[in-house]
Each structure stands twice: as C-alpha cells, then as structure tokens.
Amino acid sequence: MNTDDRTPRGSGVDVRRAQRWFWILTVSAVLAMGALYQGLRSAPGPGTGILVLISGLVLAASVVQAARILAVLAGPPRLPRRLRLRPPRPRTTTARVSGTRPPKAR
C-alpha cells in the first residue's frame, strides 16, 4: 500500500479514501435525484410511492454524508480540544439588580 499521499497516522484522516467516498456519495446523490424526479413525474401508485420514498432517503443520506466529508477535507484546520492556547479567564461582569436602569433621555 502506498502511503505517500496519505496524511500521518495521528491525524486520523485518509485523504484519498475520503475523496473517493465523497465522489461516490455525490454520484449516488445525482442518481437518487434523477430517480426522485422520475418518481414525482410518474402516475400515482404504490410503486411510485416506494420509489419516491427510497430515492428521497438515499438522496438525503448521501448529501449529508458528502457534506460532512467536504467539511473535513476543505474546512480550516482545527486545534485539538485538549490543547488550549490560554487558560480561560474568570468572568468579571457584575450582575445588575432589576429596576436599577437609568431612565431614558428624551
């Protein structure tokens, strides 16, 4: 197996595999959209209902998964959650007591 075009093991993302799945999901979304369009144009019946249901579910699932993969591949790099640049500062805001607002100027 050629590991030259893959990211290091620690990152957890296999770029070639993710790209392959992205394009497979994109093609399946296009095919599902075509089947959904055909089902919506055909005469009503039980077969048409099943075609619309299945193609709609496949379309929704493949679009969501392709969008998730695209967000990982094209998104900005993220820092790990455990790594913080600075510790959080304590909040120093004071709470107002209700009814102590100054009146509005007219």
Side-chain angles (χ1 to χ4, degrees), residues 44-76:
T48 303
I50 292 173
L51 175 67
V52 168
L53 174 71
I54 291 175
S55 61
L57 290 175
V58 169
L59 175 64
S62 59
V63 165
V64 167
Q65 290 298 325
R68 290 179 66 199
I69 292 172
L70 185 64
V72 170
L73 290 178

mmCIF file of all heavy atoms in Angstrom, residues 44-76:
data_model
loop_
_atom_site.group_PDB
_atom_site.id
_atom_site.type_symbol
_atom_site.label_atom_id
_atom_site.label_comp_id
_atom_site.label_asym_id
_atom_site.label_seq_id
_atom_site.Cartn_x
_atom_site.Cartn_y
_atom_site.Cartn_z
ATOM 1 N N PRO A 44 -49.510 8.269 -9.917
ATOM 2 C CA PRO A 44 -49.543 7.821 -8.526
ATOM 3 C C PRO A 44 -49.834 6.328 -8.411
ATOM 4 O O PRO A 44 -50.584 5.761 -9.198
ATOM 5 C CB PRO A 44 -50.662 8.643 -7.888
ATOM 6 C CG PRO A 44 -51.319 9.408 -8.961
ATOM 7 C CD PRO A 44 -50.535 9.246 -10.207
ATOM 8 N N GLY A 45 -49.224 5.734 -7.421
ATOM 9 C CA GLY A 45 -49.417 4.313 -7.165
ATOM 10 C C GLY A 45 -48.471 3.847 -6.081
ATOM 11 O O GLY A 45 -47.579 4.591 -5.640
ATOM 12 N N PRO A 46 -48.619 2.607 -5.641
ATOM 13 C CA PRO A 46 -47.750 2.102 -4.570
ATOM 14 C C PRO A 46 -46.280 2.015 -4.987
ATOM 15 O O PRO A 46 -45.379 2.332 -4.208
ATOM 16 C CB PRO A 46 -48.290 0.715 -4.255
ATOM 17 C CG PRO A 46 -49.542 0.553 -5.029
ATOM 18 C CD PRO A 46 -49.649 1.667 -6.000
ATOM 19 N N GLY A 47 -46.027 1.616 -6.209
ATOM 20 C CA GLY A 47 -44.643 1.545 -6.695
ATOM 21 C C GLY A 47 -43.992 2.917 -6.768
ATOM 22 O O GLY A 47 -42.813 3.088 -6.427
ATOM 23 N N THR A 48 -44.782 3.888 -7.191
ATOM 24 C CA THR A 48 -44.269 5.257 -7.258
ATOM 25 C C THR A 48 -43.962 5.786 -5.868
ATOM 26 O O THR A 48 -42.954 6.454 -5.656
ATOM 27 C CB THR A 48 -45.303 6.170 -7.958
ATOM 28 O OG1 THR A 48 -45.587 5.630 -9.242
ATOM 29 C CG2 THR A 48 -44.780 7.569 -8.086
ATOM 30 N N GLY A 49 -44.830 5.482 -4.918
ATOM 31 C CA GLY A 49 -44.602 5.915 -3.539
ATOM 32 C C GLY A 49 -43.333 5.322 -2.957
ATOM 33 O O GLY A 49 -42.551 6.009 -2.288
ATOM 34 N N ILE A 50 -43.106 4.043 -3.228
ATOM 35 C CA ILE A 50 -41.888 3.389 -2.737
ATOM 36 C C ILE A 50 -40.659 3.983 -3.419
ATOM 37 O O ILE A 50 -39.630 4.221 -2.766
ATOM 38 C CB ILE A 50 -41.980 1.863 -2.947
ATOM 39 C CG1 ILE A 50 -43.056 1.280 -2.015
ATOM 40 C CG2 ILE A 50 -40.641 1.187 -2.695
ATOM 41 C CD1 ILE A 50 -43.356 -0.177 -2.253
ATOM 42 N N LEU A 51 -40.755 4.236 -4.730
ATOM 43 C CA LEU A 51 -39.634 4.840 -5.452
ATOM 44 C C LEU A 51 -39.298 6.225 -4.897
ATOM 45 O O LEU A 51 -38.125 6.543 -4.660
ATOM 46 C CB LEU A 51 -39.963 4.952 -6.950
ATOM 47 C CG LEU A 51 -38.930 5.676 -7.813
ATOM 48 C CD1 LEU A 51 -37.646 4.871 -7.887
ATOM 49 C CD2 LEU A 51 -39.500 5.945 -9.194
ATOM 50 N N VAL A 52 -40.324 7.037 -4.653
ATOM 51 C CA VAL A 52 -40.105 8.376 -4.112
ATOM 52 C C VAL A 52 -39.517 8.295 -2.707
ATOM 53 O O VAL A 52 -38.583 9.032 -2.363
ATOM 54 C CB VAL A 52 -41.422 9.189 -4.142
ATOM 55 C CG1 VAL A 52 -41.298 10.460 -3.333
ATOM 56 C CG2 VAL A 52 -41.812 9.506 -5.570
ATOM 57 N N LEU A 53 -40.038 7.391 -1.889
ATOM 58 C CA LEU A 53 -39.540 7.245 -0.513
ATOM 59 C C LEU A 53 -38.079 6.832 -0.486
ATOM 60 O O LEU A 53 -37.245 7.467 0.175
ATOM 61 C CB LEU A 53 -40.387 6.228 0.251
ATOM 62 C CG LEU A 53 -39.902 5.874 1.644
ATOM 63 C CD1 LEU A 53 -40.108 7.050 2.584
ATOM 64 C CD2 LEU A 53 -40.596 4.642 2.162
ATOM 65 N N ILE A 54 -37.745 5.792 -1.215
ATOM 66 C CA ILE A 54 -36.374 5.273 -1.178
ATOM 67 C C ILE A 54 -35.397 6.265 -1.812
ATOM 68 O O ILE A 54 -34.321 6.522 -1.263
ATOM 69 C CB ILE A 54 -36.300 3.892 -1.867
ATOM 70 C CG1 ILE A 54 -37.040 2.868 -0.995
ATOM 71 C CG2 ILE A 54 -34.860 3.463 -2.085
ATOM 72 C CD1 ILE A 54 -37.154 1.508 -1.602
ATOM 73 N N SER A 55 -35.769 6.839 -2.941
ATOM 74 C CA SER A 55 -34.849 7.779 -3.581
ATOM 75 C C SER A 55 -34.687 9.045 -2.740
ATOM 76 O O SER A 55 -33.600 9.616 -2.683
ATOM 77 C CB SER A 55 -35.311 8.119 -4.990
ATOM 78 O OG SER A 55 -36.586 8.736 -4.958
ATOM 79 N N GLY A 56 -35.724 9.480 -2.065
ATOM 80 C CA GLY A 56 -35.607 10.634 -1.172
ATOM 81 C C GLY A 56 -34.698 10.353 0.009
ATOM 82 O O GLY A 56 -33.876 11.208 0.395
ATOM 83 N N LEU A 57 -34.810 9.169 0.586
ATOM 84 C CA LEU A 57 -33.937 8.808 1.709
ATOM 85 C C LEU A 57 -32.485 8.672 1.274
ATOM 86 O O LEU A 57 -31.571 9.135 1.972
ATOM 87 C CB LEU A 57 -34.420 7.507 2.356
ATOM 88 C CG LEU A 57 -35.735 7.592 3.130
ATOM 89 C CD1 LEU A 57 -36.161 6.211 3.604
ATOM 90 C CD2 LEU A 57 -35.597 8.545 4.302
ATOM 91 N N VAL A 58 -32.271 8.044 0.127
ATOM 92 C CA VAL A 58 -30.899 7.901 -0.377
ATOM 93 C C VAL A 58 -30.311 9.272 -0.708
ATOM 94 O O VAL A 58 -29.141 9.551 -0.401
ATOM 95 C CB VAL A 58 -30.871 6.961 -1.614
ATOM 96 C CG1 VAL A 58 -29.531 7.016 -2.316
ATOM 97 C CG2 VAL A 58 -31.193 5.550 -1.197
ATOM 98 N N LEU A 59 -31.113 10.138 -1.292
ATOM 99 C CA LEU A 59 -30.652 11.489 -1.615
ATOM 100 C C LEU A 59 -30.263 12.249 -0.347
ATOM 101 O O LEU A 59 -29.183 12.840 -0.276
ATOM 102 C CB LEU A 59 -31.730 12.246 -2.384
ATOM 103 C CG LEU A 59 -31.445 13.712 -2.702
ATOM 104 C CD1 LEU A 59 -30.254 13.815 -3.635
ATOM 105 C CD2 LEU A 59 -32.668 14.366 -3.302
ATOM 106 N N ALA A 60 -31.125 12.218 0.647
ATOM 107 C CA ALA A 60 -30.833 12.950 1.883
ATOM 108 C C ALA A 60 -29.590 12.399 2.575
ATOM 109 O O ALA A 60 -28.717 13.163 3.015
ATOM 110 C CB ALA A 60 -32.039 12.880 2.819
ATOM 111 N N ALA A 61 -29.489 11.087 2.674
ATOM 112 C CA ALA A 61 -28.345 10.486 3.364
ATOM 113 C C ALA A 61 -27.037 10.758 2.635
ATOM 114 O O ALA A 61 -26.023 11.099 3.261
ATOM 115 C CB ALA A 61 -28.558 8.981 3.510
ATOM 116 N N SER A 62 -27.040 10.643 1.313
ATOM 117 C CA SER A 62 -25.790 10.846 0.576
ATOM 118 C C SER A 62 -25.375 12.315 0.577
ATOM 119 O O SER A 62 -24.184 12.614 0.651
ATOM 120 C CB SER A 62 -25.918 10.313 -0.849
ATOM 121 O OG SER A 62 -26.961 10.953 -1.525
ATOM 122 N N VAL A 63 -26.331 13.231 0.529
ATOM 123 C CA VAL A 63 -25.975 14.651 0.578
ATOM 124 C C VAL A 63 -25.398 15.013 1.946
ATOM 125 O O VAL A 63 -24.389 15.735 2.038
ATOM 126 C CB VAL A 63 -27.200 15.529 0.233
ATOM 127 C CG1 VAL A 63 -26.977 16.970 0.612
ATOM 128 C CG2 VAL A 63 -27.516 15.424 -1.239
ATOM 129 N N VAL A 64 -25.996 14.504 3.002
ATOM 130 C CA VAL A 64 -25.488 14.813 4.351
ATOM 131 C C VAL A 64 -24.081 14.253 4.544
ATOM 132 O O VAL A 64 -23.181 14.943 5.048
ATOM 133 C CB VAL A 64 -26.460 14.270 5.421
ATOM 134 C CG1 VAL A 64 -25.830 14.286 6.800
ATOM 135 C CG2 VAL A 64 -27.740 15.094 5.420
ATOM 136 N N GLN A 65 -23.873 13.013 4.135
ATOM 137 C CA GLN A 65 -22.554 12.415 4.321
ATOM 138 C C GLN A 65 -21.501 13.094 3.443
ATOM 139 O O GLN A 65 -20.366 13.307 3.878
ATOM 140 C CB GLN A 65 -22.599 10.914 4.018
ATOM 141 C CG GLN A 65 -23.367 10.126 5.045
ATOM 142 C CD GLN A 65 -22.743 10.222 6.422
ATOM 143 O OE1 GLN A 65 -21.535 10.290 6.588
ATOM 144 N NE2 GLN A 65 -23.584 10.233 7.435
ATOM 145 N N ALA A 66 -21.855 13.439 2.219
ATOM 146 C CA ALA A 66 -20.904 14.140 1.350
ATOM 147 C C ALA A 66 -20.561 15.511 1.923
ATOM 148 O O ALA A 66 -19.409 15.950 1.848
ATOM 149 C CB ALA A 66 -21.472 14.270 -0.060
ATOM 150 N N ALA A 67 -21.538 16.187 2.501
ATOM 151 C CA ALA A 67 -21.266 17.490 3.114
ATOM 152 C C ALA A 67 -20.353 17.353 4.327
ATOM 153 O O ALA A 67 -19.473 18.200 4.549
ATOM 154 C CB ALA A 67 -22.576 18.160 3.515
ATOM 155 N N ARG A 68 -20.516 16.308 5.095
ATOM 156 C CA ARG A 68 -19.634 16.084 6.242
ATOM 157 C C ARG A 68 -18.199 15.826 5.786
ATOM 158 O O ARG A 68 -17.243 16.335 6.370
ATOM 159 C CB ARG A 68 -20.137 14.905 7.076
ATOM 160 C CG ARG A 68 -21.425 15.199 7.818
ATOM 161 C CD ARG A 68 -21.895 14.019 8.594
ATOM 162 N NE ARG A 68 -20.938 13.725 9.658
ATOM 163 C CZ ARG A 68 -20.863 12.573 10.285
ATOM 164 N NH1 ARG A 68 -21.675 11.582 9.961
ATOM 165 N NH2 ARG A 68 -19.985 12.385 11.241
ATOM 166 N N ILE A 69 -18.049 15.029 4.740
ATOM 167 C CA ILE A 69 -16.710 14.753 4.226
ATOM 168 C C ILE A 69 -16.088 16.018 3.653
ATOM 169 O O ILE A 69 -14.910 16.311 3.882
ATOM 170 C CB ILE A 69 -16.761 13.630 3.169
ATOM 171 C CG1 ILE A 69 -17.129 12.307 3.832
ATOM 172 C CG2 ILE A 69 -15.431 13.504 2.443
ATOM 173 C CD1 ILE A 69 -17.401 11.187 2.863
ATOM 174 N N LEU A 70 -16.873 16.794 2.909
ATOM 175 C CA LEU A 70 -16.362 18.037 2.340
ATOM 176 C C LEU A 70 -15.948 19.022 3.427
ATOM 177 O O LEU A 70 -14.944 19.720 3.288
ATOM 178 C CB LEU A 70 -17.410 18.659 1.423
ATOM 179 C CG LEU A 70 -16.981 19.899 0.661
ATOM 180 C CD1 LEU A 70 -15.854 19.550 -0.307
ATOM 181 C CD2 LEU A 70 -18.149 20.483 -0.086
ATOM 182 N N ALA A 71 -16.683 19.069 4.514
ATOM 183 C CA ALA A 71 -16.333 19.969 5.616
ATOM 184 C C ALA A 71 -14.994 19.589 6.229
ATOM 185 O O ALA A 71 -14.211 20.457 6.622
ATOM 186 C CB ALA A 71 -17.425 19.954 6.676
ATOM 187 N N VAL A 72 -14.710 18.300 6.299
ATOM 188 C CA VAL A 72 -13.429 17.861 6.857
ATOM 189 C C VAL A 72 -12.297 18.112 5.868
ATOM 190 O O VAL A 72 -11.224 18.574 6.256
ATOM 191 C CB VAL A 72 -13.490 16.364 7.252
ATOM 192 C CG1 VAL A 72 -12.127 15.832 7.601
ATOM 193 C CG2 VAL A 72 -14.450 16.174 8.400
ATOM 194 N N LEU A 73 -12.532 17.836 4.590
ATOM 195 C CA LEU A 73 -11.463 17.982 3.603
ATOM 196 C C LEU A 73 -11.151 19.439 3.280
ATOM 197 O O LEU A 73 -9.992 19.800 3.102
ATOM 198 C CB LEU A 73 -11.832 17.247 2.314
ATOM 199 C CG LEU A 73 -11.848 15.731 2.380
ATOM 200 C CD1 LEU A 73 -12.284 15.155 1.056
ATOM 201 C CD2 LEU A 73 -10.493 15.189 2.777
ATOM 202 N N ALA A 74 -12.158 20.285 3.179
ATOM 203 C CA ALA A 74 -11.945 21.656 2.741
ATOM 204 C C ALA A 74 -12.014 22.673 3.867
ATOM 205 O O ALA A 74 -11.759 23.846 3.641
ATOM 206 C CB ALA A 74 -12.984 22.024 1.685
ATOM 207 N N GLY A 75 -12.361 22.233 5.057
ATOM 208 C CA GLY A 75 -12.509 23.161 6.159
ATOM 209 C C GLY A 75 -11.172 23.615 6.717
ATOM 210 O O GLY A 75 -10.110 23.069 6.388
ATOM 211 N N PRO A 76 -11.206 24.639 7.564
ATOM 212 C CA PRO A 76 -9.969 25.109 8.175
ATOM 213 C C PRO A 76 -9.448 24.084 9.167
ATOM 214 O O PRO A 76 -10.217 23.316 9.742
ATOM 215 C CB PRO A 76 -10.395 26.397 8.891
ATOM 216 C CG PRO A 76 -11.835 26.190 9.165
ATOM 217 C CD PRO A 76 -12.360 25.379 8.014
#
